[in-house]
Structures are given as C-alpha cells and as structure tokens.
Amino acid sequence: MTGIMEILTSAHLFQRSTLHPLPREFFSRDPVSVARELLGHFLVHETAQVRCVGRIVEVEAYGGEDDPASHARVRTPRSEIMWGAPGIAYVYFIYGNHHCLNVVTEPEGIPGAVLIRALEPLEGIEWMQRRRGVEKLTLLASGPGRLTQAMGINLSHNGWDLTRPPLYIADGSPTPFEVEATPRIGVIAAKERLWRFYIRGSPFVSRR
C-alpha cells in the first residue's frame, strides 16, 4: 500500500509540474548509451483530455546492419525510419495484437533505435486503467504492448517528433539507481549482447 500511495502522491505533484523535452542531441548517439541514459526520464503524451506520464524503467537497444536482432539488419520501407533523424518515434505493430514504441538514435543516416519496454505510471493513471481495462498499477505499462495501449500510442504516431509535445520524452532529472543489463527479450540472435536495461528493484519492469 505504501508504494501505491507514493505513486499517487507523485501523480498529484506532476499535475502541477512543467516537463521539458530532452533535446535532439540526447538521441544523436549510439543506441546502447541512449538506452541506459533513458532510464528515469519520462514518456509524456498530451491529448485534449489528459496528460499521461510514465517514468521509463525498462528499455532495449537495437543497432544497425550488424545487429541481427534489429529491424535495420535489412533496409525496408518499415525500417527506413531508423536511418532518419534522431529523436523520432518508430512505432510498429507486432504479433497482430500490439504496438511497440521506439525512439530513433544515432546521427541521421546511421540506423539505430531504443525500444521502450516499461513505464512506472505517474500521471493520467485513471485514463491508463480505462484504456487497458485493468486496475493494478504494476500491470498498466509493464511491457511494450501494455505501455502503448496505456499511453494511447498507435501506428498513427509513427514518425512523430519525440523532442516536442504532444508526444515526447521529458527530462526526469533521475535520482541515482542501479541498472541491470540482460539479453534482449524475445530475440534469438545476438543473445550475447546485454542490451536490455532496467532499473533494479522496480516493480514495473516486464520481467526480472
């Protein structure tokens, strides 16, 4: 109960706060560095009805042609966006039932992206619960498909600029925490690469 009350208190404070998008330069680096440093920052989606905010607690890095687990291993109309400007949203539909949100990394012309895998819900929680059809806070955004549903993100957001509202990644000025690195989930190739990162001890990650 204490953890839930702390989250609800944080949500109340967020309603009065101004969040500042991370600059494009933040994303114009290799995906592994960006992935680790995204932890603790905020994913924000502002609509006419509500502002939803979640703290990023789990991510995965994906490289270019030399990463056999990446969509960029083959240049296709879908993966073309990974060669685009850093800070742009790459959203795709997978397994016929959910969307995944990535942010493009590296300077333009070099492919790379970070998959946002899990969030700690902080603001707009009632809307997240309504969209997901669940009440439990730890189930709202603990996984890439869950978080896009909770945050109201779909294919229409593919190509959006995540360095400015209404859908953006904001500076969370994260307090110190320990980062766990593991193989990426659901991939067969390149399992030796420990490119999944999450905040150790967070109850909101998809898997521990």
Side-chain angles (χ1 to χ4, degrees), residues 93-126:
F93 194 59
I94 191 170
Y95 303 136
N97 65 359
H98 67 258
H99 299 89
C100 292
L101 171 65
N102 302 256
V103 56
V104 174
T105 65
E106 298 278 17
E108 190 165 359
I110 303 174
V114 173
L115 171 66
I116 301 178
R117 282 199 56 91
L119 304 173
E120 175 186 347
L122 292 172
E123 184 180 325
I125 291 174
E126 290 184 1

Coordinates of all heavy atoms in Angstrom, one line a residue, residues 93-126:
F93 N 3.5 -2.5 -35.5 CA 2.5 -3.4 -35.0 C 3.1 -4.8 -35.1 O 3.7 -5.2 -36.1 CB 1.2 -3.3 -35.8 CG 0.0 -4.0 -35.2 CD1 -0.4 -3.6 -34.0 CD2 -0.6 -5.0 -35.9 CE1 -1.6 -4.2 -33.5 CE2 -1.8 -5.6 -35.4 CZ -2.2 -5.2 -34.2
I94 N 3.0 -5.6 -34.0 CA 3.7 -6.9 -33.9 C 2.7 -7.9 -33.4 O 1.8 -7.7 -32.6 CB 4.9 -6.8 -33.0 CG1 5.8 -8.0 -33.2 CG2 4.6 -6.5 -31.6 CD1 7.2 -7.9 -32.5
Y95 N 2.9 -9.2 -33.9 CA 2.2 -10.3 -33.4 C 0.7 -10.2 -33.6 O -0.1 -10.9 -33.0 CB 2.5 -10.7 -32.0 CG 3.9 -10.9 -31.7 CD1 4.5 -10.4 -30.5 CD2 4.7 -11.7 -32.5 CE1 5.9 -10.6 -30.2 CE2 6.1 -11.9 -32.2 CZ 6.6 -11.4 -31.1 OH 7.9 -11.6 -30.8
G96 N 0.3 -9.2 -34.5 CA -1.1 -9.0 -34.8 C -2.0 -8.5 -33.6 O -3.2 -8.5 -33.7
N97 N -1.3 -8.0 -32.5 CA -2.1 -7.6 -31.4 C -1.6 -6.4 -30.6 O -2.3 -5.9 -29.7 CB -2.4 -8.8 -30.5 CG -1.2 -9.3 -29.8 OD1 -0.1 -8.8 -30.0 ND2 -1.4 -10.3 -28.9
H98 N -0.4 -5.9 -30.8 CA 0.0 -4.8 -30.0 C 1.1 -3.9 -30.8 O 1.7 -4.4 -31.7 CB 0.5 -5.2 -28.6 CG 1.7 -6.0 -28.6 ND1 1.8 -7.3 -28.3 CD2 3.1 -5.6 -28.7 CE1 3.0 -7.7 -28.3 NE2 3.8 -6.7 -28.5
H99 N 1.2 -2.7 -30.3 CA 2.2 -1.8 -30.9 C 3.4 -1.7 -30.0 O 3.3 -1.9 -28.8 CB 1.5 -0.4 -31.0 CG 0.3 -0.3 -31.9 ND1 -0.9 -0.5 -31.4 CD2 0.2 -0.1 -33.2 CE1 -1.8 -0.5 -32.5 NE2 -1.1 -0.2 -33.5
C100 N 4.5 -1.3 -30.6 CA 5.8 -1.1 -29.9 C 6.3 0.3 -30.2 O 6.3 0.7 -31.4 CB 6.8 -2.1 -30.3 SG 6.5 -3.8 -29.8
L101 N 6.7 1.0 -29.2 CA 7.3 2.4 -29.4 C 8.8 2.3 -29.2 O 9.3 1.9 -28.2 CB 6.7 3.3 -28.4 CG 7.3 4.7 -28.3 CD1 7.1 5.5 -29.6 CD2 6.8 5.5 -27.1
N102 N 9.5 2.8 -30.3 CA 10.9 3.0 -30.2 C 11.3 4.5 -30.5 O 10.5 5.2 -31.1 CB 11.6 2.2 -31.4 CG 11.3 0.7 -31.3 OD1 12.1 -0.1 -30.9 ND2 10.1 0.3 -31.7
V103 N 12.4 4.9 -30.0 CA 12.9 6.2 -30.4 C 14.2 6.0 -31.2 O 15.1 5.2 -30.9 CB 13.2 7.1 -29.2 CG1 14.2 6.4 -28.2 CG2 13.7 8.5 -29.6
V104 N 14.3 6.7 -32.4 CA 15.4 6.6 -33.3 C 16.6 7.2 -32.6 O 16.5 8.3 -32.0 CB 15.1 7.2 -34.6 CG1 16.3 7.2 -35.5 CG2 13.9 6.5 -35.3
T105 N 17.8 6.6 -32.8 CA 19.0 7.1 -32.2 C 20.1 7.3 -33.4 O 19.8 7.0 -34.5 CB 19.6 6.2 -31.2 OG1 20.0 4.9 -31.7 CG2 18.6 6.0 -30.1
E106 N 21.2 7.7 -33.0 CA 22.4 7.9 -33.9 C 22.1 9.1 -34.8 O 21.0 9.5 -35.0 CB 22.6 6.7 -34.8 CG 22.9 5.4 -34.1 CD 24.4 5.3 -33.8 OE1 25.1 6.3 -33.8 OE2 24.9 4.2 -33.5
P107 N 23.2 9.7 -35.3 CA 23.0 10.8 -36.3 C 22.3 10.3 -37.5 O 22.3 9.1 -37.9 CB 24.5 11.2 -36.6 CG 25.3 10.8 -35.5 CD 24.6 9.5 -35.0
E108 N 21.6 11.2 -38.2 CA 20.8 10.9 -39.4 C 21.7 10.2 -40.4 O 22.9 10.6 -40.7 CB 20.2 12.1 -40.0 CG 19.2 11.8 -41.1 CD 18.3 13.0 -41.5 OE1 18.5 14.1 -40.8 OE2 17.5 12.9 -42.4
G109 N 21.2 9.1 -41.0 CA 22.0 8.3 -41.9 C 22.6 7.0 -41.3 O 23.1 6.1 -42.1
I110 N 22.6 6.9 -40.0 CA 23.1 5.7 -39.3 C 22.0 5.1 -38.5 O 21.4 5.8 -37.7 CB 24.3 6.1 -38.3 CG1 25.4 6.8 -39.0 CG2 24.8 4.9 -37.6 CD1 26.5 7.4 -38.1
P111 N 21.6 3.9 -38.8 CA 20.4 3.3 -38.1 C 20.7 2.9 -36.7 O 21.8 2.4 -36.3 CB 20.2 2.0 -39.0 CG 21.5 1.6 -39.5 CD 22.2 2.9 -39.8
G112 N 19.6 3.0 -35.9 CA 19.6 2.6 -34.5 C 18.4 3.1 -33.8 O 17.7 4.0 -34.3
A113 N 18.0 2.4 -32.8 CA 16.8 2.7 -32.1 C 16.8 2.1 -30.7 O 17.5 1.2 -30.4 CB 15.5 2.3 -32.8
V114 N 15.9 2.6 -29.8 CA 15.7 2.1 -28.5 C 14.3 1.8 -28.3 O 13.4 2.7 -28.5 CB 16.2 3.1 -27.4 CG1 15.8 2.6 -26.0 CG2 17.7 3.3 -27.5
L115 N 14.0 0.5 -27.9 CA 12.6 0.1 -27.6 C 12.3 0.5 -26.2 O 13.0 0.1 -25.3 CB 12.4 -1.4 -27.9 CG 11.1 -2.0 -27.4 CD1 10.0 -1.5 -28.2 CD2 11.3 -3.5 -27.5
I116 N 11.2 1.2 -26.0 CA 10.8 1.5 -24.6 C 9.9 0.3 -24.1 O 8.8 0.1 -24.7 CB 10.0 2.8 -24.5 CG1 11.0 3.9 -25.0 CG2 9.6 3.1 -23.1 CD1 10.4 5.3 -25.1
R117 N 10.3 -0.4 -23.1 CA 9.7 -1.7 -22.8 C 8.7 -1.5 -21.6 O 7.7 -2.3 -21.5 CB 10.7 -2.7 -22.4 CG 11.3 -3.4 -23.6 CD 12.0 -4.7 -23.2 NE 11.0 -5.6 -22.6 CZ 10.3 -6.5 -23.2 NH1 10.4 -6.6 -24.5 NH2 9.4 -7.2 -22.5
A118 N 9.0 -0.6 -20.6 CA 8.1 -0.5 -19.5 C 8.2 0.9 -18.8 O 9.2 1.6 -18.9 CB 8.5 -1.6 -18.4
L119 N 7.1 1.3 -18.2 CA 6.9 2.6 -17.6 C 6.4 2.4 -16.1 O 5.6 1.4 -15.9 CB 6.0 3.5 -18.3 CG 6.2 3.8 -19.8 CD1 5.0 4.6 -20.3 CD2 7.5 4.6 -19.9
E120 N 6.7 3.3 -15.3 CA 6.1 3.4 -14.0 C 5.0 4.5 -14.1 O 5.4 5.7 -14.4 CB 7.1 3.9 -12.9 CG 6.5 4.1 -11.6 CD 7.4 4.7 -10.6 OE1 8.7 4.6 -10.8 OE2 7.0 5.2 -9.5
P121 N 3.7 4.2 -14.1 CA 2.7 5.2 -14.3 C 2.7 6.3 -13.2 O 2.9 6.0 -12.0 CB 1.4 4.4 -14.2 CG 1.8 3.0 -14.4 CD 3.2 2.9 -13.9
L122 N 2.6 7.6 -13.6 CA 2.7 8.7 -12.7 C 1.6 9.7 -12.8 O 1.2 10.2 -11.8 CB 4.1 9.4 -12.9 CG 5.3 8.6 -12.5 CD1 6.6 9.4 -13.0 CD2 5.4 8.4 -11.0
E123 N 1.1 9.9 -14.0 CA 0.0 10.9 -14.2 C -0.9 10.3 -15.2 O -0.5 9.7 -16.2 CB 0.6 12.2 -14.6 CG -0.5 13.3 -14.7 CD 0.1 14.6 -15.1 OE1 1.2 15.0 -14.7 OE2 -0.6 15.4 -15.8
G124 N -2.2 10.7 -15.1 CA -3.2 10.2 -16.0 C -3.5 8.7 -15.8 O -3.9 8.0 -16.7
I125 N -3.3 8.2 -14.6 CA -3.5 6.8 -14.2 C -4.9 6.3 -14.5 O -5.0 5.2 -15.0 CB -3.0 6.5 -12.8 CG1 -1.5 6.8 -12.6 CG2 -3.4 5.1 -12.4 CD1 -1.0 6.7 -11.2
E126 N -5.9 7.1 -14.2 CA -7.2 6.6 -14.5 C -7.5 6.4 -16.0 O -8.2 5.4 -16.3 CB -8.3 7.6 -13.9 CG -8.3 7.7 -12.4 CD -9.4 8.6 -11.9 OE1 -10.1 9.2 -12.8 OE2 -9.5 8.7 -10.7

